[in-house]
Amino acid sequence: MTHKRNTLRGLAAASLALAFGFAAQHAAAADPIKIGLILPMTGQSASTGRQIDAAVKLYLAQNGASVAGRPDTTRRLAQELVVNDKVVALAGFGLTPLALATAPIATQSKTPMVVMAAATSAITEASPFIVRTSFTLPQAAVSIAEWAAKNKIKKVVTLVTDYGPGIDAEKYFSERFALNSGVVVEKLRTPLRSPDFAPVLQKVRDANPEALFVFLPSGQGAAFMKQFAERGLDKSGIRLIATGDVTDDDQLADMGEVAMGVVTSHHYSANHKSAVNQKFVDAFKKANNGMRPNFMAVGGYDGMRVIVDGLKTTKGAGGEALLNAMKGQVFESPRGPVLIDAQTRDIVQDIYIRRVEKVDGQLYNVEFDVQKAVKDPGKAK
Ligand code: DHB
């Protein structure tokens, strides 16, 4: 993957995956504090980059003036953008391979690395400098497996993207479902790049399970749902269940009737009922021409919060001091209460069971059940 250096102002025009840094005035020294953010900006993960970029900008617009106690504005930060060296933190990482490739750099340079999107369980074990503000696929998959088993679903086919998070989703869904007397009759996978869902959907039809469990990375849900409907699977009696990546708020509004009633598990819905979320959604939409925030936006927003609060504690210092200031942070996210587990550096959060419904004429993931304070099951070995 090619990464392009760019400025914040040039972000929208970037044509390749992008790396950018921004600068804030250090409280004690004239040197700016820099954070390097690496995000995919094109191709099927483009929405991840767009959502996180918008959330990071929103966080800085709302809070940037108080970074390490100095009144700096987002505009000033943009002018001083650099990507090369001396960043106090690395942040972003829209896909697992990108996070894993960067982990050794974080370790060698002792730079805290905040994973705002990628969600394979093992990522946090790739460097002691990694902190995660997104989620893990085991967190989501275990909850929907329990819901399915409790709701008289006994026979399931799984369909996942064939790389880290998909393999986690398949494994943790299947294991938990089996513990609850469910049977996975077939395990299907599609490639990360340019997947064709037609052949796997034919296999699903042939296997005729009670439900199909799906994980696809953010950005692929709409194409999948279209195929699911075109091949008549929505009328076949096979229920669709998934992790919330599939009914992604970035694409859900345009998915149409086929998405209605789909049950998923995830850590964030734009429809989450809380004052903190209402404020976040309103501010995000206002700052982005009405764009609805998705779970990637929340990972980016909370990631910025964790970095900025850490920098307040260290008075702008990076390295191990910043890492330690990130560990153990507890706060109310737009998604609900969260903790950055000091031992694992991974996020502990509520996982919701949601159903796609119309709210004021628009499709939303409406939460109807919750499992509180879920630690990544991938680490409880
Ligand atoms: C990953 C990417 C996604 O877009 C997603 O929804 C979940 C996981 C990943 O690569 O880890």
Side-chain angles (χ1 to χ4, degrees):
M1 202 145 188
T2 317
H3 288 138
K4 183 171 160 185
R5 289 179 183 184
N6 217 318
T7 65
L8 195 56
R9 275 178 302 172
L11 192 65
S15 60
L16 294 168
L18 185 74
F20 70 88
F22 58 77
Q25 201 66 41
H26 194 295
D31 289 341
I33 296 168
K34 301 167 191 171
I35 299 167
L37 191 55
I38 306 174
L39 296 170
M41 297 304 290
T42 60
Q44 59 194 10
S45 296
S47 64
T48 295
R50 177 161 42 78
Q51 288 272 352
I52 291 182
D53 173 47
V56 163
K57 283 181 186 155
L58 174 63
Y59 188 87
L60 289 174
Q62 290 176 335
N63 302 281
S66 61
V67 174
R70 289 294 288 263
D72 241 329
T73 63
T74 309
R75 187 179 299 278
R76 172 87 185 266
L77 301 180
Q79 281 165 353
E80 294 186 21
L81 268 177
V82 278
V83 72
N84 43 8
D85 51 31
K86 299 197 173 74
V87 295
V88 291
L90 293 161
F93 310 106
L95 289 166
T96 287
L98 307 178
L100 292 177
T102 311
I105 298 167
T107 306
Q108 284 153 22
S109 63
K110 298 192 191 299
T111 305
M113 171 174 158
V114 178
V115 175
M116 297 170 158
T120 301
S121 173
I123 286 173
T124 43
E125 285 152 332
S127 168
F129 281 83
I130 290 178
V131 168
R132 173 155 43 197
T133 59
S134 51
F135 74 110
T136 77
L137 264 305
Q139 279 179 329
V142 158
S143 295
I144 190 72
E146 291 203 339
W147 181 86
K150 277 192 205 122
N151 285 273
K152 302 196 173 68
I153 295 171
K154 291 268 169 251
K155 182 179 161 186
V156 166
V157 169
T158 61
L159 168 57
V160 302
T161 302
D162 194 7
Y163 78 125
I167 293 162
D168 272 0
E170 180 190 276
K171 177 173 188 277
Y172 284 87
F173 178 89
S174 302
E175 284 179 6
R176 187 59 64 98
F177 194 53
L179 270 180
N180 288 280
S181 311
V183 182
V184 174
V185 292
E186 196 158 359
K187 296 177 180 178
L188 303 169
R189 295 183 185 177
T190 46
L192 178 58
R193 304 287 163 207
S194 312
D196 176 6
F197 300 115
V200 284
L201 286 174
Q202 187 55 48
K203 285 188 184 161
V204 173
R205 193 183 260 290
D206 294 345
N208 195 29
E210 285 156 10
L212 170 64
F213 164 74
V214 182
F215 161 78
L216 300 169
S218 184
Q220 293 192 6
F224 170 78
M225 294 301 264
K226 191 162 171 276
Q227 284 273 312
F228 192 80
E230 277 172 11
R231 307 191 71 80
L233 273 126
D234 56 334
K235 311 237 160 31
S236 68
I238 300 170
R239 284 192 74 163
L240 183 58
I241 57 176
T243 63
D245 310 71
V246 177
T247 56
D248 182 347
D249 272 304
D250 192 75
Q251 298 186 325
L252 181 59
D254 300 320
M255 281 183 192
E257 290 294 310
V258 59
M260 288 282 287
V262 172
V263 174
T264 61
S265 58
H266 230 207
H267 55 294
Y268 181 68
S269 164
N271 188 247
H272 177 66
K273 299 291 180 215
S274 76
V276 170
N277 186 48
Q278 193 60 57
K279 209 173 136 217
F280 171 68
V281 171
D282 289 347
F284 189 92
K285 283 186 171 171
K286 198 166 165 223
N288 296 286
N289 293 318
M291 177 162 73
R292 190 196 289 187
N294 74 353
F295 63 101
M296 294 300 187
V298 166
Y301 191 77
D302 289 347
M304 282 312 299
R305 177 192 178 119
V306 167
I307 294 170
V308 171
D309 277 8
L311 286 169
K312 283 179 189 161
T313 303
T314 66
K315 302 207 167 25
E320 263 174 273
L322 179 56
L323 178 71
N324 289 333
M326 292 180 181
K327 290 181 187 174
Q329 285 193 24
V330 179
F331 59 94
E332 190 184 350
S333 158
R335 68 186 100 180
V338 299
L339 155 72
I340 304 299
D341 187 314
Q343 264 75 51
T344 62
R345 292 162 279 101
D346 219 333
I347 191 159
V348 179
Q349 59 192 334
D350 295 352
I351 299 293
Y352 306 88
I353 307 293
R354 314 94 50 86
R355 187 181 290 107
V356 176
E357 291 173 16
K358 267 193 188 142
V359 180
D360 297 332
Q362 278 197 23
L363 294 181
Y364 276 97
N365 294 296
V366 177
E367 295 166 351
F368 64 90
D369 201 359
V370 61
Q371 204 166 341
K372 303 292 282 179
V374 180
K375 281 192 168 201
D376 174 27
K379 297 196 179 60
K381 283 167 207 144

